[in-house]
Amino acid sequence: MTVGIIGLGLIGGSMAKAYSQSGTDTVLGWDIDTPILEYARLRGAITDVLTDEKLPSCDLLFIGLYPQASIDYLTEKAPLIGKNTVVIDLCGTKRTVCAAGFALAEQYGFTFVGGHPMAGRQFSGFKYSRSDMFHGAPMVIVPPRTDDIFLLDRIKKMLAPAGFGRITVSSAEKHDEMIAFTSQLAHVVSNAYVKSPTARTHDGFSAGSYKDLTRVAKLNEYMWSELFVENKEFLTAELDCLIGELTKYRDAVAAGDTDTVRELLKDGREQKERIDGGAQK
């Protein structure tokens, strides 16, 4: 199998390392940063540079760019992509990218599938990429049709070298709704939390809770701002819900209302227990 990877950042670089270490015949890569591209080749993450001439030879093509850059790349290169190629984007939002990808795939004859590997780190760039980044992690895919069993089986086999623990099939709409809560809201909360003046003097007073809550505060603002704004309807709804809940806690604490605070905490604990119980079934 010949795999092409556009964008050798944290996610694309990890894909390159995963497929190379799995024994994939050929892993071709491209990145706008030429030194990174050469470094990836020296490290054995890619076999060679992915040129326009080699693009038709790819059986699988990953696009690891920001959403708009992914659309721009597909729009420019679609005529060169082979008709037997499966193209999977790796963006954190799906509606806009999938709409463009499905249309271009139908026009030029290749197969496009939206993808979002549910794994990452608080750092960005190729130097932080790992071959085991996706081991055991979920992978969300958005196929053009959810009832195409043959395509789904083909995608599952093609993704096997990455080591995903679970493949979740979704619509683009459902993906963006869920990701606003499970990922985007968490990044906003973490990033806002560390803006307290108290954070500057936390050393010696913080432990696991602080580390857990602030882990993703150190984010790539260029990528995340694009993802947030692109998913503004769903993310705004989640922010409104959180602000409403926080206001209840704030008002009860300010009023010295221990009974209400206790009930709020009890409700949250029980909700967490129900969620965890449902996930284990």
Side-chain angles (χ1 to χ4, degrees), residues 134-165:
F134 311 114
H135 286 189
M139 172 65 163
V140 181
I141 62 169
V142 180
R145 289 174 45 198
T146 58
D147 61 349
D148 190 338
I149 304 302
F150 295 104
L151 174 60
L152 295 178
D153 184 63
R154 184 184 177 194
I155 297 303
K156 184 177 180 179
K157 290 176 179 176
M158 283 184 151
L159 290 174
F164 290 108

Side-chain angles (χ1 to χ4, degrees), residues 254-270:
D257 187 347
T258 304
D259 290 340
T260 299
V261 173
R262 185 183 300 114
E263 281 303 309
L264 289 169
L265 295 174
K266 177 175 178 288
D267 288 347
R269 173 180 58 79
E270 291 178 345

Side-chain angles (χ1 to χ4, degrees), residues 5-82:
I5 301 171
I6 305 300
L8 296 176
L10 178 66
I11 300 301
S14 294
M15 280 294 187
K17 290 177 180 179
Y19 277 81
S20 291
Q21 291 198 16
S22 74
T24 299
D25 297 328
T26 305
V27 178
L28 304 173
W30 180 88
D31 195 275
I32 195 170
D33 190 334
T34 303
I36 290 296
L37 191 59
E38 185 58 30
Y39 180 61
R41 180 159 52 180
L42 290 173
R43 287 288 305 272
I46 62 173
T47 310
D48 206 346
V49 176
L50 178 55
T51 61
D52 287 353
E53 291 72 27
K54 295 175 182 175
L55 199 56
S57 69
C58 292
D59 300 295
L60 175 61
L61 179 65
F62 287 114
I63 303 180
L65 306 174
Y66 296 175
Q68 188 56 53
S70 296
I71 294 172
D72 293 343
Y73 177 86
L74 268 177
T75 302
E76 180 184 349
K77 304 296 184 181
L80 305 177
I81 298 174

Side-chain angles (χ1 to χ4, degrees), residues 185-250:
L185 182 63
H187 282 77
V188 171
V189 171
S190 182
N191 194 263
Y193 175 71
V194 296
K195 292 180 180 179
S196 166
T198 313
R200 299 168 191 158
T201 56
H202 80 88
D203 193 31
F205 296 88
S206 57
S209 298
Y210 174 85
K211 291 178 181 178
D212 290 344
L213 189 51
T214 61
R215 183 182 67 82
V216 294
K218 188 177 180 181
L219 45 69
N220 178 343
E221 64 269 23
Y222 296 98
M223 179 184 76
W224 284 102
S225 60
E226 184 174 339
L227 294 174
F228 290 165
V229 173
E230 185 165 321
N231 206 28
K232 61 183 179 182
E233 304 96 327
F234 289 128
L235 180 55
T236 298
E238 292 296 342
L239 284 167
D240 287 343
C241 179
L242 178 62
I243 291 168
E245 291 299 320
L246 287 174
T247 300
K248 295 176 186 177
Y249 288 84
R250 190 266 175 206

